[in-house]
Amino acid sequence: MMGWKDLFKPRQDKFLGLLVEQAAKTLEGIEALEDYMKSESEEAAKRVTKAEKEADEVRRILIDELLHTFITPIDREDIFALSRAIDDIIDYGHTTVDEMEILDVDPNPHLQHMVSKLRKAAEEIHMGVLRLKDHPNVANDHAVRAKALENQVEQIYREAIADLFSGPKDLEHVIKMLKLREIYRHLSNCADRGDEAANIIGDIVVKKA
């Protein structure tokens, strides 16, 4: 049972360990999403769902630890914000699969390209969190790479939207266009949350300097 003195002990390994675990589960989910975009398999979709649920559980534990710890090695606001941004990444990955199945949308080259970049960004976020404790400058390098990948996703998004709106031919085409635009937005939002996670990692590094 935790004593009152324990509330005042910085628990660096606990919090960073949970953030690393959450980022790892998120990476697993985005890797499964990439597989889904290649194969559209039910197995890959289930892996996305499984990773999202497991990442949520890690986040719940992290929040509970925050509530029971008075002093944290990193600002508690930064811990909470980074966990939330990482959570949003896998949430958007999960809802992308859900929306594609509900709307009966098949993967296309734009979606595959966007998710390929998102997977690389998730890798950089995971590595950034992993290096925060002992090598903060390396963590910041990973954050910078993640931000660059977000810019690449946004470029692909703009190209996909331009291609989508290039001369709808009939009602069926318009309906397909609206469905795809919704999926593209999910992935664009996913990239935005990756960018936010990278920004928070950068903020933590500056505060640790």
Side-chain angles (χ1 to χ4, degrees):
M1 187 174 180
M2 182 181 292
W4 69 270
K5 292 182 180 179
D6 294 319
L7 293 172
F8 297 91
K9 292 180 180 178
R11 304 175 72 188
Q12 181 159 327
D13 289 341
K14 172 68 73 174
F15 288 111
L16 288 180
L18 288 167
L19 285 169
V20 167
E21 187 178 356
Q22 187 186 358
K25 293 295 181 184
T26 295
L27 174 57
E28 285 180 24
I30 300 302
E31 287 174 339
L33 177 62
E34 185 176 33
D35 289 344
Y36 179 81
M37 289 297 178
K38 295 175 181 176
S39 64
E40 205 174 355
S41 73
E42 185 62 28
E43 183 271 337
K46 288 179 179 178
R47 283 166 49 214
V48 176
T49 299
K50 181 174 181 289
E52 190 268 339
K53 290 182 182 301
E54 291 176 349
D56 273 352
E57 182 67 11
V58 175
R59 175 165 163 75
R60 280 190 285 268
I61 295 169
L62 185 147
I63 298 304
D64 186 63
E65 290 288 341
L66 272 181
L67 292 173
H68 291 91
T69 306
F70 189 76
I71 295 176
T72 56
I74 300 169
D75 286 352
R76 64 178 58 246
E77 293 83 3
D78 288 336
I79 294 172
F80 183 85
L82 180 54
S83 176
R84 181 177 56 194
I86 293 171
D87 182 58
D88 287 341
I89 295 170
I90 187 59
D91 281 350
Y92 275 117
H94 182 233
T95 56
T96 295
V97 174
D98 279 350
E99 292 290 326
M100 289 179 70
E101 291 183 337
I102 291 169
L103 298 176
D104 193 26
V105 172
D106 295 324
N108 65 25
H110 290 306
L111 290 170
Q112 292 167 345
H113 198 188
M114 290 175 78
V115 172
S116 173
K117 299 295 184 182
L118 288 171
R119 189 260 305 158
K120 291 178 182 177
E123 288 177 351
E124 297 294 348
I125 294 298
H126 175 239
M127 292 301 298
V129 176
L130 194 62
R131 299 290 177 244
L132 264 176
K133 178 185 175 183
D134 296 323
H135 302 282
N137 289 334
V138 177
N140 191 61
D141 289 342
H142 286 294
V144 170
R145 292 191 190 103
K147 289 179 67 63
L149 286 159
E150 186 271 341
N151 289 333
Q152 293 175 33
V153 173
E154 290 306 312
Q155 179 60 41
I156 300 166
Y157 170 75
R158 288 190 290 270
E159 293 170 358
I161 292 295
D163 185 49
L164 200 57
F165 283 84
S166 60
K169 302 174 181 63
D170 50 35
L171 180 59
E172 183 178 350
H173 187 113
V174 171
I175 293 172
K176 179 181 178 182
M177 180 179 71
L178 294 174
K179 290 179 178 180
L180 274 169
R181 183 179 65 176
E182 189 68 19
I183 306 304
Y184 291 151
R185 280 178 175 171
H186 275 278
L187 295 180
S188 175
N189 289 335
C190 184
D192 287 341
R193 302 314 295 156
D195 185 67
E196 177 64 14
N199 284 335
I200 298 166
I201 290 171
D203 290 344
I204 293 170
V205 170
V206 169
K207 291 176 183 178
K208 284 170 67 70

